[in-house]
Structure formats: C-alpha cells, structure tokens
Amino acid sequence: MNDIIDTVGITRNSLVFDGVSNLRVTGIYGWNRLNRGSSVLGDNHYHSANLFGLLSEADTAWNNTLALDFIYVADEHNENAWYMGAASTQRFDWLNSTFRILGKRSLGSVLK
C-alpha cells in the first residue's frame, strides 16, 4: 500500500501456547486518504473509506514462522472489500524459504 493514511494499531506480543513460542496479534484502523484505485494523490477526496485489520504472526516449534492477515475496507460508495494474506517461512540451517498467498474478495458493485 502506498497511500498516505492515518492509522492506529494495538499489538499484543509474546503470547505463548503449546507448539508456539511467540504469537503476535495486531488490530489496526486506518482512515483519511485511503486511495481506492487511482494513483493520483488526493483523488479520493470526494468520499472516504476506512480500513480495519487483524494481523497475526506466530513462531512455531517446527522452526518456521506463520502469518495470517485480514484487512477489510469499508467505503461509503459501496466499494467494500476483504483482503487476505497467509505466509510461511521455513528455516533449514543455511537455507530459508517463504511461501505466500494473497486474495481479495470485492463486496461492492464498483470493484467487481
């Protein structure tokens, strides 16, 4: 995202469970100048959109890191959408690898 938006977030770190040495969860909210598809800065001044997100990352006992992120963009012109991402990073002595998958689900009439 290359938008200049105002954002606030709250993070809870160092959650520990069986098989997870560290879990980090962040909730975010963003507003103001959230660009809805145009690269022109300030082009979206005629309406507003809000961003809500839940971001998570866990270090596991199997020497890898898992991440799962959900973002929801609520737009007053019915251009709402879900954005999702998942990742897994593995560490094998001298070799590391990362796999990622991303997705988007448009809910409004304009982005479909």
Side-chain angles (χ1 to χ4, degrees), residues 1 5-10 26-32 34 36 48-56 68-76 79-85 107:
M1 179 184 333
I5 65 173
D6 297 317
T7 306
V8 64
I10 297 175
T26 301
I28 63 170
Y29 170 67
W31 70 98
N32 194 15
L34 185 62
R36 302 298 291 142
S48 65
N50 294 305
L51 178 144
F52 304 91
L54 183 64
L55 315 173
S56 62
L68 185 61
D69 301 333
F70 295 98
I71 300 286
Y72 178 72
V73 176
D75 189 293
E76 67 184 25
E79 298 175 4
N80 305 335
W82 278 100
Y83 300 87
M84 296 132 302
L107 304 175

Side-chain angles (χ1 to χ4, degrees), residues 4-87:
I4 301 169
I5 65 173
D6 297 317
T7 306
V8 64
I10 297 175
T11 300
R12 177 63 169 110
N13 199 10
S14 301
L15 298 169
V16 179
F17 301 100
D18 287 337
V20 175
S21 62
N22 183 46
L23 173 66
R24 181 181 69 234
V25 178
T26 301
I28 63 170
Y29 170 67
W31 70 98
N32 194 15
R33 300 178 77 101
L34 185 62
N35 197 319
R36 302 298 291 142
S38 173
S39 62
V40 179
L41 183 63
D43 184 56
N44 64 343
H45 67 278
Y46 62 90
H47 73 284
S48 65
N50 294 305
L51 178 144
F52 304 91
L54 183 64
L55 315 173
S56 62
E57 188 172 87
D59 296 320
T60 70
W62 303 284
N63 207 21
N64 74 336
T65 301
L66 303 174
L68 185 61
D69 301 333
F70 295 98
I71 300 286
Y72 178 72
V73 176
D75 189 293
E76 67 184 25
H77 285 168
N78 198 28
E79 298 175 4
N80 305 335
W82 278 100
Y83 300 87
M84 296 132 302

